[in-house]
């Protein structure tokens, strides 16, 4: 049976001031009908460029210089542009990574779906309207008749992504290209979107080319997996084979760099160095400079794709039969050692005891809603609505929950970057909410914030030296320029950067290096508490491992306390001592990592954890489906805020918000199910 999509020796080059960028350099792959083919790899390896090459949507500086792209036996690269317009949307559709920028903000949802129907189908009038309603219903959007007349900015992130899927499926394409379709979504919404794609695939027999860096998503969705590195595919295998025995040293490093319970108490494996620039004319293996198993041949000869098993091919000299014969049996232990490399052994990750460095009591942050000519206050957005916790020196508390639950607002309110509406924030016994002006400024060095996006948080017009000196000067750390310069060098060394980095600008660094600079800026003022707001969510797995290792090392060396805001449960398992789960401005469950993640009590926590994709898909995991959307914090439900979506809700849940009940040594939950049990 011939493949639906057959890419053969595809080469896409880009013109740049630094020379020709060989973004895609000889990629070949096949996608069968009804199959999901996943492409994984670091940023810049060529995943998205492969998709854009298939659709012929390259930037002006790019061109396909070789190869073929066969769709149903027809070479798309030979079609005129007028014919390609009939392919895009009709035979091949694409879901882009960020729906907010992909949907037109000045057109209604209905108008954007109608565009596809008018271009690629004969449906008009009532028939087209009926089809639009069917599409919105098929992707699980409630009240589709109303949503057709709404604009994208009126929708939540999950609904935007569903609209994108509806637009992509409007003409019933043969192939759907999904480029990081769930990266910006919470795990609960991600689970819904992935299930939706799987159901639509089963129903329509559609093929999916899935581009992602999330191996958990790959384990759940893919039939075949291809690993890309520096513009080439270096390993291809069926999903089961790939997750059982990944062969390429790079593939194995990706698995070892994944955080989780197995790596607690130790450091994650790190892939040293960086992806080589694609302007390079390679004379050997592109991974050789970063590979633990490279030898002379790897630097002088380009490896070809070698068959290593049923359906499994690998681009690596270690698996070259001729090479194995020449090198003899002595090579076998090297390969066996490669296979034996696995996740770092787990060890106890006990909480560090001691008095609370930070104590938060009934913290509230309410923003006024003003309307009318005189801007009268007509309501309140209850972003944080009464949260309490304690954090000791040398420990990490992870704050998890869906987007919009108030995590980031709580972090900023604790640091007094947003003034709380009520409640207490005590740091080393001092009440921060009462401090003003110079008194608060003098305490700022003790607590700092690492932002989610290092590029946006660093001034692009300032050198690294100026960025680091700015905080020290403002907070009175180091009196003279010489002392500040010496301290800069120490901080850069501490985060793994050379001293000459201080003479460069942020755009000259990679994403991981920029985040290291942001951490160095924080460390320069000797903080005791750091609020980390999704500091690794924008990073690749390999770079994420470096940053997590750095944060753990700094905590061990300096006794830092972290309030770690994240939606990545695997990072929580690896890094945190305790975890607090937020829902609509309140903490619904908290305790040690083992208590909350191994024995979750609150129905929301159970649903949240059930939706996390797992690498081990051997057993059928039961995903708890939450009904509806997260309610607005401007109008939270009466009683328990979660009861409208809770599968275990009782009539009394609508009356009063439940008090916190202790169910273990440090395990507390706000749920009437456990109040009833404790009586």
């Amino acid at each position: 049976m011939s493949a639906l999509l057959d890419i053969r020796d595809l080469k896409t080059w880009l013109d740049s001031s630094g020379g020709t960028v060989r973004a895609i350099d000889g990629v070949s792959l096949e996608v069968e009908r009804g199959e999901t083919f996943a492409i994984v790899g670091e940023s810049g390896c060529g995943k998205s460029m492969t998709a854009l090459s298939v659709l012929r949507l390259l930037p002006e500086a790019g061109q396909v210089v070789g190869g073929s792209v066969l769709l149903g036996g027809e070479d798309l690269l030979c079609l005129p542009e007028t014919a390609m317009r009939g392919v895009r949307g009709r035979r091949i559709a694409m879901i882009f990574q960020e729906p907010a920028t992909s949907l037109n903000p000045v057109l209604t949802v209905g108008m954007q779906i109608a565009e596809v129907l008018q271009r690629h189908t004969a449906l008009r009038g009532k028939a087209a309207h009926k089809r639009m309603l069917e599409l919105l219903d098929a992707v699980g959007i409630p009240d589709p008749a109303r949503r057709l007349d709404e604009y994208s900015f009126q929708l939540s992130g999950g609904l935007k992504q569903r609209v994108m899927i509806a637009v992509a499926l409007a003409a019933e394409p043969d192939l759907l290209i999904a480029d990081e379709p769930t990266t910006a979504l919470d795990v609960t919404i991600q689970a819904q979107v992935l299930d939706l794609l799987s159901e639509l695939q089963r129903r329509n027999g559609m093929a999916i080319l899935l581009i992602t860096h999330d191996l958990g998503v790959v384990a759940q969705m893919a039939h075949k997996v291809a690993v890309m590195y520096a513009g080439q595919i270096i390993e291809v295998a069926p999903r089961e084979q790939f997750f059982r025995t990944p062969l390429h040293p790079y593939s194995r490093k990706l698995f070892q760099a994944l955080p989780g319970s197995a790596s607690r108490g130790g450091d994650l494996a790190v892939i040293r160095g960086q992806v080589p620039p694609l302007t390079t004319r390679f004379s050997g293996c592109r991974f050789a400079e970063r590979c633990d198993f490279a030898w002379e041949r790897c630097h002088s000869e380009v490896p070809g794709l070698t068959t290593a098993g049923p359906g499994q091919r690998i681009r690596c000299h270690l698996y070259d039969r001729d090479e194995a014969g020449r090198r003899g049996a002595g090579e076998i232990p090297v390969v066996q050692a490669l296979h034996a490399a696995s996740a770092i052994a787990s060890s106890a990750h006990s909480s560090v005891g001691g008095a609370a460095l930070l104590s938060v009591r009934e913290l509230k942050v309410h923003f006024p809603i003003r309307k009318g000519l005189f801007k009268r206050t007509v309501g309140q957005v209850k972003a944080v609505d009464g949260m309490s916790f304690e954090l000791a020196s040398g420990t990490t508390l992870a704050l998890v929950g869906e987007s919009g639950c108030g995590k980031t607002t709580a972090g900023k309110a604790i640091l007094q970057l947003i003034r709380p509406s009520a409640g207490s924030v005590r740091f080393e016994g001092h009440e921060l909410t009462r401090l003003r002006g110079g008194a608060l400024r003098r305490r700022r060095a003790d607590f700092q914030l690492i932002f989610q996006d290092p590029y946006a948080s660093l001034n692009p017009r300032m050198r690294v030296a100026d960025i680091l000196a700015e905080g020290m000067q403002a907070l009175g750390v180091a009196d003279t320029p010489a002392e500040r310069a010496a301290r800069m060098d120490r901080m850069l060394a501490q985060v793994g950067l050379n001293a000459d980095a201080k003479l460069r600008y942020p755009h000259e660094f990679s994403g991981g290096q920029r985040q290291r600079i942001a951490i160095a800026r924080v460390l320069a003022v000797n903080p005791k508490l750091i609020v980390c707001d999704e500091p690794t969510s924008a990073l690749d797995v390999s770079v994420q491992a470096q940053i997590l290792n750095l944060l753990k090392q700094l905590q061990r060396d300096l006794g830092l306390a972290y309030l770690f805001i994240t939606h990545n449960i695997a990072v929580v398992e690896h890094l945190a001592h305790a975890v607090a789960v937020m829902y609509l401005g309140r903490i619904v469950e908290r305790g040690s990592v083992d208590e909350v993640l191994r024995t979750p009590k609150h129905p929301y926590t159970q649903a949240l954890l059930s939706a996390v994709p797992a690498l081990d898909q051997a057993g059928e995991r039961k995903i708890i489906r939450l009904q509806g959307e997260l309610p607005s914090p401007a109008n939270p439900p009466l009683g328990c805020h979660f009861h409208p979506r809770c599968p275990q809700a009782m009539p009394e849940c609508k009356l009063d918000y439940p008090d916190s009940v202790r169910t273990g040594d440090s395990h507390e939950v706000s749920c009437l199910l456990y109040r009833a049990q404790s009586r």
Side-chain angles (χ1 to χ4, degrees):
M1 184 173 120
S2 62
L4 172 66
L5 178 68
D6 186 358
I7 301 176
R8 300 178 185 175
D9 199 27
L10 180 66
K11 296 182 180 180
T12 301
W13 294 0
L14 304 171
D15 292 329
S16 73
S17 58
T20 300
V21 178
R22 296 167 178 82
I24 307 294
D25 200 8
V27 165
S28 299
L29 59 88
E30 295 180 355
V31 184
E32 306 288 346
R33 295 181 186 274
E35 173 182 81
T36 297
F37 190 105
I39 304 178
V40 301
E42 292 177 277
S43 296
C45 70
K47 304 188 301 294
S48 296
M49 193 59 67
T50 300
L52 296 176
S53 299
V54 169
L55 287 167
R56 288 173 47 184
L57 291 175
L58 296 171
E60 257 185 61
Q63 61 176 326
V64 176
V65 298
S68 61
V69 177
L70 305 177
L71 181 68
E74 183 178 28
D75 193 348
L76 300 183
L77 301 182
C78 296
L79 296 180
E81 177 58 25
T82 52
M84 272 304 297
R85 290 173 191 158
V87 173
R88 300 185 196 110
R90 176 63 189 91
R91 300 179 65 191
I92 304 177
M94 185 165 180
I95 303 172
F96 293 92
Q97 180 172 352
E98 181 48 72
T101 56
S102 303
L103 295 172
N104 193 325
V106 300
L107 298 181
T108 64
V109 168
M111 293 169 70
Q112 296 187 66
I113 300 176
E115 280 185 331
V116 181
L117 295 177
Q118 290 169 6
R119 180 67 181 82
H120 298 294
T121 74
L123 297 177
R124 299 291 185 273
K126 291 183 179 179
H129 187 264
K130 180 182 178 182
R131 174 63 176 157
M132 287 188 279
L133 293 176
E134 289 173 351
L135 284 166
L136 293 188
D137 183 62
V139 298
I141 294 180
D143 196 3
R146 176 171 62 88
R147 298 294 189 183
L148 280 177
D149 295 324
E150 292 186 342
Y151 294 86
S152 58
F153 62 81
Q154 296 176 277
L155 308 177
S156 67
L159 287 179
K160 285 192 188 81
Q161 194 64 289
R162 288 167 184 263
V163 169
M164 275 289 299
I165 295 172
V167 171
L169 299 178
E172 299 183 345
D174 299 320
L175 173 67
L176 177 66
I177 300 175
D179 187 1
E180 300 278 11
T182 61
T183 296
L185 304 180
D186 296 306
V187 289
T188 50
I189 306 300
Q190 172 180 267
Q192 296 173 17
V193 170
L194 294 179
D195 277 359
L196 169 63
L197 290 177
S198 296
E199 175 60 30
L200 293 172
Q201 183 180 47
R202 285 191 295 269
R203 190 186 308 166
N204 303 331
M206 169 180 69
I208 298 177
L209 182 62
L210 176 65
I211 296 169
T212 183
H213 67 267
D214 191 330
L215 291 175
V217 171
V218 174
Q220 179 178 335
M221 292 286 293
H223 298 96
K224 292 179 186 173
V225 184
V227 181
M228 283 196 75
Y229 183 81
Q232 291 186 327
I233 288 179
I234 60 172
E235 184 169 0
V236 183
R239 178 190 62 194
E240 295 80 3
Q241 183 73 9
F242 178 72
F243 280 91
R244 184 167 62 247
T245 53
L247 297 180
H248 198 283
Y250 175 68
S251 304
R252 300 193 69 85
K253 279 286 190 179
L254 285 181
F255 279 97
Q256 293 167 24
L258 290 174
S261 58
S263 61
R264 288 171 63 186
D267 288 338
L268 297 167
V270 170
I271 307 174
R272 65 177 182 271
Q274 298 177 41
V275 178
L278 297 182
T279 52
T280 306
R281 285 190 174 275
F282 296 98
S283 59
C285 174
R286 302 183 180 200
F287 188 61
E289 296 297 332
R290 308 174 72 189
C291 182
D292 297 332
F293 300 91
W295 74 94
E296 298 82 14
R297 185 185 178 194
C298 300
H299 297 279
S300 60
E301 184 180 335
V302 176
L305 274 174
T306 303
T307 299
Q312 191 165 19
R313 291 176 295 161
I314 180 171
R315 192 183 298 275
C316 180
H317 289 311
L318 283 172
Y319 299 90
D320 186 321
R321 289 192 183 92
D322 295 336
E323 179 64 31
R326 285 196 299 270
R327 294 173 69 86
E331 182 59 43
I332 295 175
V334 176
V335 180
Q336 289 176 339
L338 176 64
H339 284 225
S342 59
I344 298 169
S346 62
S347 61
H349 195 55
S350 58
S351 176
V352 179
L357 174 73
L358 176 70
S359 179
V360 178
R361 290 284 177 269
E362 291 299 317
L363 180 69
K364 296 183 180 182
V365 181
H366 295 176
F367 298 106
I369 301 173
R370 295 187 172 92
K371 290 185 178 180
L373 179 63
F374 298 103
K375 300 297 181 183
R376 292 190 176 94
T377 300
V378 297
Q380 299 282 337
V381 175
K382 299 178 180 179
V384 181
D385 198 25
M387 67 183 301
S388 302
F389 65 85
E390 292 185 348
L391 179 59
S393 296
T395 65
T396 299
L397 172 66
L399 198 57
V400 303
E402 292 175 282
S403 296
C405 71
K407 304 187 299 294
T408 297
T409 302
K412 291 181 177 179
I414 288 167
L415 300 184
Q416 306 303 300
L417 298 175
I418 297 174
R419 281 296 183 176
S421 306
S424 168
V425 179
R426 300 186 70 83
F427 183 84
E428 292 185 323
H430 299 280
E431 181 59 57
L432 298 184
T433 60
R434 297 174 187 165
L435 298 182
R436 296 290 187 276
L440 178 59
R441 195 174 301 113
R442 285 189 291 273
R443 299 293 325 224
R444 286 259 177 236
D446 291 334
F447 35 85
Q448 290 288 299
L449 175 64
I450 300 173
F451 295 92
Q452 178 173 354
D453 186 347
Y455 193 75
S457 64
L458 300 174
N459 192 326
R461 298 186 178 186
M462 294 173 66
R463 288 186 174 90
V464 170
D466 300 322
I467 291 171
L468 298 180
E470 186 179 37
M472 289 190 282
Q473 289 173 327
L475 298 176
V477 177
D479 296 328
T480 66
E483 289 178 355
R484 285 194 290 272
R487 183 164 184 79
M488 285 179 210
D489 292 345
R490 289 198 303 273
M491 292 304 101
L492 290 172
Q494 201 161 25
V495 299
L497 294 174
N498 296 326
D500 58 5
K502 64 186 178 185
L503 303 177
R504 295 157 62 189
Y505 290 90
H507 73 269
E508 299 179 75
F509 297 91
S510 68
Q513 289 173 323
R514 283 195 287 266
Q515 195 63 290
R516 289 171 181 268
I517 293 168
I519 294 172
R521 176 177 60 180
V522 164
L523 294 177
V525 297
N526 289 325
K528 299 174 183 176
L529 165 69
I530 300 178
V531 176
C532 306
D533 188 4
E534 300 273 14
T536 63
S537 65
L539 305 178
D540 290 311
V541 170
S542 57
V543 181
Q544 173 183 263
Q546 297 172 18
I547 298 302
L548 292 178
N549 286 347
L550 173 61
L551 291 174
K552 289 187 78 168
Q553 184 62 46
L554 292 172
Q555 188 172 64
R556 288 193 293 264
D557 294 346
L558 305 176
L560 297 172
Y562 296 139
L563 178 62
F564 203 94
I565 297 169
T566 184
H567 66 267
N568 190 330
I569 301 300
V571 170
V572 174
E573 286 187 300
H574 171 72
L575 187 69
H577 301 90
V579 58
V581 182
M582 278 192 78
Y583 185 81
L584 213 63
R586 299 191 181 190
I587 292 176
V588 298
E589 185 167 3
R590 62 176 175 165
S592 70
V593 168
D594 283 335
E595 287 174 330
V596 175
L597 300 188
R598 301 289 171 266
T599 58
K601 302 296 185 185
H602 198 282
Y604 174 66
T605 309
Q606 293 169 357
L608 196 67
L609 297 180
S610 76
V612 177
L615 294 185
D616 182 10
Q617 299 291 330
E620 283 295 324
R621 63 194 183 104
K622 181 183 178 182
I623 300 178
I624 301 172
R625 308 293 176 202
L626 296 181
Q627 301 300 315
E629 297 289 316
L630 186 73
S632 169
N635 186 27
L638 297 175
C640 174
H641 292 348
F642 186 60
H643 84 260
R645 306 173 71 192
C646 181
Q648 303 180 58
M650 303 176 290
E652 52 266 41
C653 296
K654 302 177 182 180
L655 303 178
D656 298 306
Y657 195 88
D659 295 329
S660 181
V661 176
R662 186 175 291 273
T663 62
D665 293 341
S666 60
H667 200 174
E668 296 182 4
V669 59
S670 296
C671 180
L672 290 179
L673 291 172
Y674 300 94
R675 180 187 293 179
Q677 291 178 10
S678 64
R679 287 175 180 168

